[in-house]
Amino acid sequence: MFIIKKSGQLEIFDPHKILTSIENSAKDIGIALNSSDLNLIQHDIYIKISNLRKHHEHISSYELTSIVIEVLTDLGFNRILKSYLQI
């Protein structure tokens, strides 16, 4: 799967980049996410991407950001979400 960047360039989807960004956002506000939190976040993001793009099409960075927002909200990580959006 590829991410369509804001510039229009394609980049191979790397879920670790998203998780690292979320984890860094949490650390910025003094919250430590454990491995089960990160696994749950990654799983939920993957499920939502799969439901949106059933045939492994490209996904835009805007869609991916919306999915991350939805997942963090659904899981109750509202403080981390606020920090994430400030990136």
Side-chain angles (χ1 to χ4, degrees), residues 1 13 15 17 23-25 29-30 32-34 41-42 44-45 48-50 52-53 57 63-64 68 73 86:
M1 177 180 296
F13 175 64
K17 282 177 120 177
E23 190 171 21
N24 288 339
S25 296
I29 57 171
L33 292 171
N34 61 39
I41 291 168
Q42 182 176 1
D44 285 8
I45 288 172
K48 290 189 182 298
I49 290 172
S50 296
L52 182 64
R53 299 287 181 224
E57 300 171 16
E63 291 171 313
L64 186 55
V68 171
T73 300
Q86 292 179 13

Side-chain angles (χ1 to χ4, degrees), residues 10-51:
L10 292 178
E11 183 178 297
I12 294 174
F13 175 64
D14 181 0
H16 298 299
K17 282 177 120 177
I18 296 170
L19 289 180
T20 298
S21 181
I22 292 169
E23 190 171 21
N24 288 339
S25 296
K27 286 179 184 176
D28 287 347
I29 57 171
I31 296 174
L33 292 171
N34 61 39
S35 60
S36 88
D37 290 333
L38 292 170
N39 288 337
L40 181 60
I41 291 168
Q42 182 176 1
H43 175 264
D44 285 8
I45 288 172
Y46 177 78
I47 293 296
K48 290 189 182 298
I49 290 172
S50 296
N51 288 337

